[in-house]
């Protein structure tokens, strides 16, 4: 992917920021939310295209997540879609689901995936598709700023949609890796990147480390190479630069830092690249190095 000069990055970021300001002035929150839901649908459709016609034996193929097959990945997405649907439509039912999870906090995620993976592939696929459709309808009926219960603090409907997109993309990456299918990164990654940036302080907290003062500057080359997604103050001394795809692979822990073309400036930013995670819960073990940067 292109790696623009500092001058070029600044100019591109300025143009992107000016464009964003214009869009904000003419676009309603409802329009933004509708676009997010459209991206979530498309992310699901892309993954569906990978598994929809898989022969039954391929559902048992191992993925990069230890102990998880292709079926486990889809079963996990179905399980979390169902949890999100309950949170949106049945607060009491969701509370009961949380109570069950708290009985086995270290294993309930694996157990949920294993339960779904034990189904016949056709049945699992049908349930995942039905769950996606039901969740889409529930999200579309919700106000973007309405808050709903979750595992931890309540989440806005828009945040829940973003989180579902992130998980669908990340687990879709595991499936694609298992099948040996290259994926073309899209502009939908901006949702994943934004979560990764916003989750910086959480990552430090999970590791029991002091949270750095001030924001970092993050400049990511868009997947089409035509622009830069910029976050944080332009003059921040702690900086991360590199391809948006690589940043998303890092914060979802789908690739090891040494296999990615990300550059850190400053000791705090450098530490962040070792611990970053965009998902809730304990720190994951990440992925082993595969042999050097891109």
């Amino acid at each position: 992917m292109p790696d623009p000069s500092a001058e070029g990055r600044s100019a591109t970021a300025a143009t992107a920021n000016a464009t964003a300001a214009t869009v904000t002035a003419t676009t309603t929150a409802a329009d933004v939310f509708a676009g997010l839901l459209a991206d979530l649908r498309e992310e699901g459709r892309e993954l569906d295209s990978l598994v929809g016609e898989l022969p039954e034996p391929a559902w048992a193929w191992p993925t990069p997540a230890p102990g998880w097959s292709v079926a486990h990945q889809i079963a996990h997405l179905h399980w979390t879609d169902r949890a999100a649907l309950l949170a949106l439509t049945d607060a009491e039912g969701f509370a009961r689901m949380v109570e069950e999870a708290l009985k086995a906090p270290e294993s309930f995620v694996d157990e949920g995936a294993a339960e779904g993976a034990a189904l016949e592939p056709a049945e699992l696929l049908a349930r995942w598709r039905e769950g996606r459709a039901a969740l889409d309808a529930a999200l579309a009926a919700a106000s973007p700023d309405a808050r709903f219960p979750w595992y931890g603090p309540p989440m806005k409907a828009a945040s829940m949609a973003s989180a579902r997109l992130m998980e669908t993309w990340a687990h879709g990456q595991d499936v694609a890796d298992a099948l040996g299918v290259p994926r073309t990164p899209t502009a939908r990654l901006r949702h994943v990147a934004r979560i990764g940036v916003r989750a910086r302080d959480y990552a430090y907290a999970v590791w029991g480390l002091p949270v750095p003062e001030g924001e970092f500057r993050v400049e990511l080359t868009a997947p089409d190479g035509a622009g830069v997604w910029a976050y944080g103050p332009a003059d921040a001394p702690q900086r991360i630069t590199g391809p948006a795809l690589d940043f998303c692979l890092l914060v979802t822990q789908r690739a090891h830092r040494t296999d990615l073309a990300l550059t850190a400036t400053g000791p705090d930013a450098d530490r962040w690249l070792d611990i970053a995670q965009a998902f809730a819960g304990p720190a994951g073990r990440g992925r082993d190095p595969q042999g050097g940067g891109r």
Side-chain angles (χ1 to χ4, degrees), residues 45-130:
R45 281 194 290 265
E46 182 177 293
L47 177 53
D48 199 315
S49 72
L50 292 181
V51 299
E53 302 297 329
L54 272 185
E56 187 168 321
W59 285 81
W61 288 0
T63 67
W68 279 31
S69 65
V70 170
H72 283 81
Q73 300 287 349
I74 300 302
H76 173 71
L77 288 175
H78 171 56
W79 186 90
T80 44
D81 282 346
R82 183 161 53 91
L85 180 62
L86 273 177
L88 287 164
T89 62
D90 182 1
E92 291 184 359
F94 179 75
R96 290 192 294 271
M97 192 176 195
V98 172
E99 288 177 5
E100 288 299 313
L102 291 176
K103 294 177 181 178
E106 301 299 324
S107 61
F108 77 94
V109 171
D110 285 332
E111 290 170 0
E115 179 181 352
L119 298 170
E120 291 295 323
E123 177 66 15
L124 173 58
L125 181 62
R127 291 191 186 187
W128 176 52
R129 286 171 171 171
E130 291 169 3

Side-chain angles (χ1 to χ4, degrees), residues 106 202 206 277 279-284:
E106 301 299 324
Y202 178 79
V206 165
Q277 68 179 68
F279 51 88

